[in-house]
């Protein structure tokens, strides 16, 4: 517990445990929500005040407080936002220890929002963080904000300070406080700690073998209809989970990449540029969340994805697609649907995926860095968990078994032109995914395709679909 004294109150900042029950909510940029369609009830409006247009801490207190005040008034004055909490993010707005320096602009915003909270009890959340990520316009920044949003809403606290993995709340004038929580690392399961040690010992491949062995002990399904718990699709409209969006067909269905976080988040920026007018959905891979089974085989995995796609699109014409390993799974799913005689499948979209085992082996060589960097920079709500890590090992093992002979449908293949830090796969020749394919390039690195260059990627997809 840290005590900070100001002129009005004695504030004691107390650490609280990370919530274990997490709501199904998603962040939405306030400006986009204000100018967009009616919000989904699962959305949280986010006003990010941590940086100005140059990326630095804001310096104009009057301009920032006017911006915040106008946003709060607009939000509270529109009935379409009645079910949408409002979250304000600051950086350096309050000190939780004696060695922290309060930033004056952040402090002004903090005081303004605290005042507004008294007028709208339970509807406004104020979070001060030491994070300097790029915000909702960047994929990693979006993931970080998603984590902060869900954690903040789950905590039911009106004011929070997030410092690394720690959550602190202010208690005024001796009010009761929650004892400090056990640190996240100390509470991690043995399997997770062993995997971390394998990484630290430069034995990543051994760690993955351990995870795969553990995955084989988890509940598994042979066919989609045999078991409950397989995740359903998530519809995205302008980055909003919960519905499948516009009226323009074909319906775009993206397959998730076997990354350790899994989930729809990897395509949310792409959806922000496509989902407002096109139907856009994402199929998560089963096994990443508690209670979800793993596929017993590659055949079961593809059968499950194909069944979920059909449940998602109904009578819509549709295309399936995916990025990186998700592209390989999308290709296998398209082949399965075509073999079943499906006539509504209109095409395949491949984002920087590779058929050749040599290329995929080279890409797998970067998996260690991807896992470590993501866990370090984006401490997701649970970070490394036994479910996520064993699912990662299972799906990577299945991915190595996928074969990709050309399919009998149209395909859009989008390749990156810049090398990634760990490999030069941009130089790999264009491979044959279908009997009729269109190849386009984006001047970006692999990871930027659906993040910082999502607008370019979306434009290429939209143009291709409009021409078909």
């Amino acid at each position: 517990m840290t005590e900070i004294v100001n002129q009005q109150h004695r504030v004691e900042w107390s650490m609280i445990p990370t919530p274990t029950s997490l709501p199904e909510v998603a962040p939405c940029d306030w400006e986009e929500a204000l100018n967009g369609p009616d919000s989904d009830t699962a959305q949280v409006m986010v006003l990010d005040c941590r940086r100005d247009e140059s990326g630095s801490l804001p310096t104009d207190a009057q301009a920032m407080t006017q911006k915040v005040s106008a946003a709060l008034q607009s939000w509270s004055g529109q009935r379409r936002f009645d079910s949408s909490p409002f979250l304000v993010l600051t950086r350096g707005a309050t000190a939780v220890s004696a060695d922290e320096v309060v930033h004056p602009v952040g402090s002004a915003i903090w005081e303004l929002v605290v005042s507004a909270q008294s007028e709208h009890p339970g509807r406004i959340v104020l979070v001060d963080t030491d994070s300097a990520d790029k915000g909702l316009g960047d994929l990693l920044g979006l993931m970080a904000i998603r984590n902060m949003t869900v954690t903040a809403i789950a905590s039911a606290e009106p004011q929070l300070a997030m410092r690394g993995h720690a959550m602190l709340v202010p208690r005024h004038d001796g009010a009761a406080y929650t004892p400090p929580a056990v640190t996240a690392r100390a509470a991690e399961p043995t399997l997770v700690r062993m995997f971390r040690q394998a990484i630290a010992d430069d034995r990543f491949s051994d760690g993955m073998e351990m995870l795969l062995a553990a995955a084989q002990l988890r509940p598994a399904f042979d066919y989609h209809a045999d078991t409950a718990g397989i995740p359903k699709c998530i519809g995205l409209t302008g980055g909003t989970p919960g519905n499948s969006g516009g009226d323009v067909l074909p319906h775009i269905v993206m397959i998730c990449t076997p990354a350790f976080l899994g989930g729809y988040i990897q395509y949310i920026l792409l959806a922000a540029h496509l989902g407002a007018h096109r139907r856009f959905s994402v199929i998560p891979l089963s096994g990443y969340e508690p209670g979800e089974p793993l596929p017993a085989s590659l055949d079961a995995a593809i059968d499950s994805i194909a069944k979920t796609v059909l449940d998602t699109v109904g009578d819509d014409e549709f295309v399936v697609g995916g990025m990186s390993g998700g592209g390989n799974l999308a290709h296998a799913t398209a082949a399965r649907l075509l073999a079943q005689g499906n006539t509504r499948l209109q095409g395949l979209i491949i984002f920087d995926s590779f058929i050749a085992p040599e290329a995929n082996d080279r890409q797998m060589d970067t998996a260690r860095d991807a896992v470590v960097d993501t866990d370090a920079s984006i401490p997701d709500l649970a970070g490394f968990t036994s479910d996520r890590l064993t699912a990662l090992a299972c799906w990577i093992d299945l991915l190595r078994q996928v074969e990709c002979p050309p399919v009998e449908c149209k395909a859009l293949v989008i390749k990156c032109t810049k090398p990634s830090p760990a490999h030069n796969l941009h130089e790999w020749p264009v491979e044959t995914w279908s009997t009729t394919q269109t190849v386009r390039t984006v001047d970006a690195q692999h990871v930027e395709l659906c993040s910082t260059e999502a607008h370019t990627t979306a434009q290429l997809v939209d143009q291709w679909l409009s021409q078909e």
Side-chain angles (χ1 to χ4, degrees):
M1 180 176 66
T2 302
E3 180 178 312
I4 303 293
V5 180
N6 64 22
Q7 294 178 349
Q8 297 178 322
H9 302 283
R10 187 180 81 256
V11 179
E12 297 173 345
W13 285 91
S14 303
M15 191 182 300
I16 62 172
T18 300
T20 56
S21 178
L22 305 175
E24 292 291 334
V25 298
C28 180
D29 179 75
W30 164 247
E31 296 292 338
E32 290 187 8
L34 181 63
N35 299 316
D38 289 352
S39 66
D40 186 277
T41 55
Q43 283 186 274
V44 178
M45 303 297 112
V46 177
L47 184 63
D48 193 344
C49 301
R50 294 174 298 167
R51 56 176 64 234
D52 59 20
E53 294 181 357
S54 69
S56 304
L57 280 167
T59 57
D60 190 333
Q62 181 177 2
M64 286 300 297
T65 52
Q66 287 178 347
K67 174 183 177 180
V68 175
S69 179
L72 289 169
Q73 290 179 19
S74 181
W75 162 79
S76 63
Q78 299 187 52
R79 295 191 63 182
R80 63 182 174 133
F81 298 123
D82 283 353
S83 299
S84 300
F86 197 94
L87 185 146
V88 180
L89 284 174
T90 61
R91 182 157 57 106
T94 186
V96 300
S97 63
D99 60 349
E100 288 192 350
V101 177
V102 175
H103 188 264
V105 176
S107 179
I109 295 170
W110 184 275
E111 294 300 324
L112 172 65
V113 177
V114 168
S115 176
Q117 285 178 325
S118 63
E119 301 176 14
H120 304 280
R123 297 193 61 211
I124 301 175
V125 183
L126 183 55
V127 176
D128 189 70
T129 174
D130 56 0
S131 171
D133 61 72
K134 295 181 181 179
L136 285 160
D138 171 83
L139 181 60
L140 294 181
L142 172 64
M143 293 168 66
I145 289 179
R146 188 279 304 263
N147 298 338
M148 287 187 278
T149 299
V150 179
T151 304
I153 297 300
S155 74
E157 294 283 348
Q159 299 154 27
L160 283 168
M162 295 186 179
R163 301 293 188 264
H165 292 280
M167 293 174 53
L168 300 102
V169 294
R171 303 304 188 199
H172 298 277
D173 297 325
Y177 65 93
T178 305
V182 177
T183 63
R185 292 289 174 86
E188 284 182 333
T190 301
L191 184 70
V192 175
R193 294 201 303 272
M194 291 175 67
F195 181 64
R196 287 193 187 279
Q197 189 61 51
I199 293 174
D201 294 341
D202 198 23
R203 298 178 61 186
F204 180 74
S205 60
D206 291 338
M208 291 297 289
E209 289 183 12
M210 174 191 69
L211 294 177
L212 181 58
Q216 294 169 354
L217 299 175
R218 290 182 54 183
F221 62 90
D222 286 317
Y223 296 97
H224 185 282
D226 286 349
T227 187
I230 296 175
K232 297 181 180 179
C233 88
I234 298 175
L236 302 180
T237 299
T240 304
N243 63 69
S244 55
D247 297 325
V248 180
L249 296 177
H251 191 147
I252 301 171
V253 184
M254 301 298 291
I255 312 302
C256 282
T257 301
F260 99 83
L261 288 177
Y264 69 88
I265 196 74
Q266 56 205 204
Y267 295 119
I268 200 168
L269 293 179
L270 187 66
H273 296 281
L274 283 169
H277 61 287
R278 290 196 178 275
R279 297 186 182 178
F280 192 109
S281 299
V282 176
I283 307 297
L285 304 181
S286 186
Y288 284 81
E289 298 301 326
E292 295 179 357
L294 290 169
S297 65
L298 177 61
D299 184 67
I302 302 305
D303 177 73
S304 172
I305 294 173
K307 179 65 166 59
T308 305
V309 168
L310 294 180
D311 290 344
T312 298
V313 300
D315 294 329
D316 290 350
E317 293 183 339
F318 64 98
V319 297
V320 294
M323 179 176 175
S324 193
N328 298 76
L329 294 173
H331 184 276
T333 301
R336 177 67 57 90
L337 292 170
L338 290 170
Q340 294 171 351
N342 188 283
T343 58
R344 297 193 305 278
L345 175 64
Q346 300 298 298
L348 173 68
I349 302 174
I350 299 294
F351 294 158
D352 219 32
S353 305
F354 303 94
I355 297 174
E358 298 85 355
N360 281 307
D361 286 344
R362 194 182 306 174
Q363 200 171 33
M364 292 298 179
D365 289 341
T366 68
R368 175 195 179 280
D369 293 336
V371 169
V372 173
D373 291 346
T374 304
D375 180 58
S377 61
I378 307 297
D380 200 73
L381 298 172
F384 282 169
T385 68
S386 297
D387 288 316
R388 288 175 181 171
L389 290 176
T390 51
L392 170 69
C394 173
W395 281 98
I396 285 182
D397 183 63
L398 294 175
L399 201 58
R400 292 180 182 275
Q401 304 172 37
V402 175
E403 297 180 353
C404 300
V407 293
E408 296 284 341
C409 70
K410 297 177 181 179
L412 172 65
V413 179
I414 298 181
K415 279 183 62 68
C416 297
T417 62
K418 293 182 178 179
S420 295
H423 61 66
N424 60 344
L425 285 171
H426 68 296
E427 298 177 349
W428 198 266
V430 175
E431 298 172 298
T432 303
W433 294 88
S434 79
T435 54
T436 307
Q437 68 183 35
T438 300
V439 179
R440 296 287 183 264
T441 59
V442 176
D443 190 25
Q445 296 180 11
H446 176 79
V447 297
E448 296 172 342
L449 202 59
C450 289
S451 56
T452 56
E453 292 298 323
H455 61 290
T456 304
T457 304
Q459 186 177 34
L460 293 175
V461 171
D462 210 23
Q463 290 173 350
W464 179 73
L465 291 174
S466 298
Q467 293 169 2
E468 297 304 315

